[in-house]
């Protein structure tokens, strides 16, 4: 997942994944992945808003 980041810079990068409230268990899968990777943060949206809006949500 971080193959394009130089090894000495990986600690400076945080991966943020957005669960857009899709019905495909994406949120569950992201939570499980983040539980094993402390540098991954998951944002869960209340409703499905689409890709463009999900990228801009806080």
């Amino acid at each position: 997942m971080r193959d394009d980041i130089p090894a000495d810079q990986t600690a400076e990068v945080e991966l943020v994944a957005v669960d857009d409230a899709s019905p495909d268990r994406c949120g569950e899968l992201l939570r499980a992945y983040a539980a094993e990777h402390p540098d991954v943060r998951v944002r869960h949206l209340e409703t499905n808003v689409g890709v463009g809006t999900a990228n801009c949500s806080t």
Side-chain angles (χ1 to χ4, degrees):
M1 186 182 300
R2 295 175 174 229
D3 295 339
D4 58 340
I5 301 170
D8 63 334
Q9 295 178 7
T10 57
E12 301 172 28
V13 176
E14 178 182 39
L15 176 67
V16 179
V18 178
D19 166 25
D20 188 25
S22 66
D24 63 1
R25 294 184 43 235
C26 182
E28 181 182 325
L29 296 171
L30 289 172
R31 269 192 300 278
Y33 186 85
E36 296 181 16
H37 299 85
D39 54 342
V40 175
R41 184 169 47 132
V42 180
R43 302 287 302 190
H44 298 278
L45 303 183
E46 296 292 322
T47 58
N48 185 282
V49 293
V51 174
T53 305
N55 287 333
C56 299
S57 297
T58 59

